[in-house]
Amino acid sequence: MAFKSIQPARRRLADEVYEELIEAIIRRDIGPDDSLVQEKLAAEMQISRTPVREALMRLENEGVLEVSKRGSFRLYQMGDEEVKELYQSRAAVEGQCARILAVNHTPEDIAYLRGVVEREENVTDHSVRGYFEANRNIHMSFVERANNRFLMDMFNMIWGKALVFPLFATIENVELEKSLGDHMQLVDVIASGDKTEALEVFTDHIQDGFNLQIAGLHAS
Amino acid sequence: MAFKSIQPARRRLADEVYEELIEAIIRRDIGPDDSLVQEKLAAEMQISRTPVREALMRLENEGVLEVSKRGSFRLYQMGDEEVKELYQSRAAVEGQCARILAVNHTPEDIAYLRGVVEREENVTDHSVRGYFEANRNIHMSFVERANNRFLMDMFNMIWGKALVFPLFATIENVELEKSLGDHMQLVDVIASGDKTEALEVFTDHIQDGFNLQIAGLHAS
DNA sequence: GTTATGTATACTGTATACAGTATGCAAATA
DNA sequence: TATTTGCATACTGTATACAGTATACATAAC
């Protein structure tokens, strides 16, 4: 019987709150000037402070929130320098995945990745959110196939922070479209089996994303 | 006035508990068969369950603890496959730091790193714990100089998990001594300025550590 | 002997009350 | 005007009580 593994862990109220907060941040319901107060959130959600508190602290731990003057929480604001560092860490994680995959991939991996890129690059949702998701899905699929749970954790941490800024997603649609059409080369270089080249191609791709990002930020 | 920055953040009881638990794990006071129960720990420490609960959940989030059958917490047990993945993620983080430093370092960086390696490789504390700390200090100093807070976070996450197994530290002392005498080459390759070579040398160094680790585990 | 069923136990999750602390503002002093 | 002092306010951190849920074990049924 494998039913139990479908329900992996106990669902706590704090998880609910955590996800609702992230959703609210993505929807821009929560802005940089809002202060998140345990009591108010608890009242709004009709629950007690305890799970709210837990969710807020988790988000703080992940670097999404920070404590503001009065002790309450607010969105963490990233500066240009930090954005650079975040992209560097992306390159570390995804570059290593590329190296792993270059050395160690099956034909099925390549076919799967080609499928993902093809599907996601032709996404019909042309919103900023849509592009963000498509881009993330593509990059995530490489990490998935590298089959390393720690690299996957790190990937999620990084992209989680990206929600906040709003990073990886501020650029105008036209540029997003351009940057989204460039992923098949990533599969190709993995298929070539050259791990050093794979790392360079991935690093350059992510660097391009960074440049677009910075340009987009300074345009607005 | 710069007094305020000395006291960086509010100190919570949960932080205390968190650190005490980690200390206890390192001292092997908490073994793989112990089950950590909120109420019992709270009673022992003469505090309420709330901060204990918070600390336990943080450790679970970091992958140090896992929930056991009855709902309580216990040490997370890593398998060989996971150890391999952990080392791969180490290579991702520290390898990227090496690339950053190779391209972008000052003479002061090199001098500083040489100093650290020299000092730590001649550590007088010959206990397993002593070697572990020396090794970590050396590796941490590279990450510090790479000056990227996200890579630093990841480094701490990885080495935090290492406490548990007891990873990076199970090997017999004689082997530790051998592996500890090999760090100056890491500084040299950074000083050379070749980022591709730097990555390879760091990756190989970490791979060596992995091989020692696995050998040590299977010997015991 | 194996499978089902009930019950005790061992824990957690959530709500809530209370105490404490940092901030901001307003009044008082120099 | 500039600085100190005091007080109200806005929050959190911690303790505790209560309810709920999954496990384990014993007993019953087949």
Side-chain angles (χ1 to χ4, degrees):
Chain A
M1 252 247 284
F3 269 117
K4 198 154 239 167
S5 59
I6 288 176
Q7 195 180 37
R10 188 79 155 291
R11 183 123 189 113
R12 297 175 287 196
L13 253 180
D15 300 324
E16 220 83 39
V17 177
Y18 177 84
E19 280 166 26
E20 277 199 42
L21 285 174
I22 285 184
E23 262 306 312
I25 291 169
I26 295 175
R27 279 200 317 268
R28 308 275 171 258
D29 268 7
I30 295 174
D33 296 328
D34 293 313
S35 94
L36 302 174
V37 176
Q38 296 180 2
E39 242 168 320
K40 282 182 192 164
L41 289 171
E44 273 176 42
M45 297 173 148
Q46 317 238 46
I47 56 175
S48 86
R49 254 180 57 209
T50 310
V52 173
R53 173 180 158 73
E54 194 186 313
L56 287 173
M57 289 196 305
R58 215 150 97 204
L59 287 165
E60 189 210 356
N61 219 291
E62 289 171 11
V64 174
L65 300 180
E66 66 180 341
V67 285
S68 78
K69 321 245 151 172
R70 209 62 168 240
S72 64
F73 292 91
R74 48 186 283 186
L75 278 185
Y76 182 74
Q77 295 290 41
M78 250 186 237
D80 275 12
E81 178 59 23
E82 244 170 318
V83 176
K84 192 195 82 190
E85 293 174 18
L86 194 65
Y87 272 87
Q88 277 180 342
S89 68
R90 258 193 76 189
V93 172
E94 299 182 33
Q96 173 73 323
C97 289
R99 278 170 59 93
I100 292 169
L101 281 171
V103 174
N104 197 339
H105 65 260
T106 64
E108 288 76 40
D109 287 325
I110 300 299
Y112 174 80
L113 291 170
R114 281 199 201 291
V116 170
V117 171
E118 216 148 284
R119 188 179 68 240
E120 296 292 339
E121 281 191 351
N122 292 310
V123 69
T124 51
D125 178 356
H126 290 258
S127 68
V128 173
R129 175 81 185 265
Y131 279 111
F132 176 83
E133 297 286 0
N135 197 32
R136 178 169 66 180
N137 287 343
I138 292 172
H139 282 270
M140 180 145 62
S141 67
F142 288 106
V143 182
E144 259 167 21
R145 286 282 152 162
N147 210 36
N148 180 311
R149 68 205 83 187
F150 303 110
L151 292 172
M152 186 47 112
D153 281 354
M154 292 172 184
F155 179 89
N156 286 326
M157 240 184 60
I158 293 167
W159 286 75
K161 288 182 212 268
L163 296 171
V164 176
F165 202 12
L167 218 59
F168 309 167
T170 43
I171 314 138
E172 292 306 308
N173 284 4
V174 55
E175 300 204 61
L176 279 167
E177 230 165 309
K178 197 182 80 191
S179 88
L180 201 54
D182 225 16
H183 287 105
M184 202 55 90
Q185 55 158 338
L186 301 179
V187 186
D188 291 339
V189 77
I190 282 170
S192 84
D194 183 337
K195 68 180 176 185
T196 301
E197 185 64 14
L199 177 74
E200 293 302 334
V201 170
F202 268 74
T203 301
D204 288 347
H205 174 83
I206 292 170
Q207 179 70 39
D208 289 346
F210 173 64
N211 293 335
L212 276 175
Q213 179 72 50
I214 289 297
L217 284 175
H218 288 171
S220 64
Chain B
M1 253 249 282
F3 269 115
K4 198 154 239 166
S5 59
I6 288 176
Q7 196 181 38
R10 186 78 156 291
R11 182 120 189 116
R12 296 176 289 195
L13 253 180
D15 300 323
E16 220 83 40
V17 177
Y18 176 84
E19 280 165 26
E20 278 200 43
L21 285 174
I22 285 184
E23 262 306 311
I25 292 169
I26 294 175
R27 279 199 317 269
R28 310 274 171 259
D29 268 8
I30 295 173
D33 295 329
D34 293 311
S35 94
L36 303 174
V37 176
Q38 295 179 1
E39 242 168 321
K40 282 182 192 166
L41 289 171
E44 272 176 43
M45 297 173 146
Q46 316 239 44
I47 56 175
S48 86
R49 255 180 56 209
T50 311
V52 173
R53 174 181 158 73
E54 195 187 311
L56 287 172
M57 286 196 306
R58 216 150 98 205
L59 286 165
E60 188 210 356
N61 219 290
E62 290 171 11
V64 174
L65 300 180
E66 65 180 343
V67 285
S68 79
K69 322 246 146 172
R70 208 63 169 241
S72 64
F73 292 91
R74 47 186 285 183
L75 280 184
Y76 182 74
Q77 295 290 42
M78 249 186 238
D80 276 12
E81 178 59 23
E82 245 170 317
V83 176
K84 192 195 80 192
E85 292 175 17
L86 194 64
Y87 272 87
Q88 278 180 341
S89 69
R90 259 193 77 189
V93 170
E94 300 182 33
Q96 173 74 323
C97 289
R99 278 169 60 92
I100 291 170
L101 280 171
V103 174
N104 196 337
H105 64 262
T106 63
E108 288 77 40
D109 286 326
I110 301 299
Y112 174 80
L113 291 170
R114 280 198 202 291
V116 171
V117 170
E118 217 148 282
R119 190 180 67 240
E120 297 290 342
E121 282 192 349
N122 293 309
V123 71
T124 51
D125 178 356
H126 291 257
S127 68
V128 173
R129 175 84 185 265
Y131 280 111
F132 175 82
E133 297 285 0
N135 198 31
R136 177 169 67 181
N137 288 342
I138 292 171
H139 282 271
M140 181 145 62
S141 67
F142 288 106
V143 182
E144 258 167 23
R145 286 282 152 162
N147 208 36
N148 180 309
R149 68 206 81 187
F150 303 110
L151 292 172
M152 186 47 110
D153 282 353
M154 292 173 185
F155 178 88
N156 286 326
M157 241 184 58
I158 293 168
W159 286 75
K161 289 181 212 267
L163 295 172
V164 176
F165 201 12
L167 218 58
F168 309 167
T170 42
I171 314 138
E172 292 306 307
N173 285 4
V174 55
E175 302 205 61
L176 279 167
E177 230 167 306
K178 197 183 79 190
S179 88
L180 201 55
D182 224 16
H183 288 105
M184 201 57 89
Q185 55 158 338
L186 300 179
V187 186
D188 291 337
V189 76
I190 282 169
S192 83
D194 183 337
K195 69 180 177 186
T196 301
E197 185 63 13
L199 177 76
E200 292 302 335
V201 170
F202 267 73
T203 300
D204 287 348
H205 174 84
I206 292 170
Q207 180 69 39
D208 288 346
F210 172 64
N211 293 335
L212 276 175
Q213 179 72 50
I214 290 297
L217 283 175
H218 289 170
S220 64

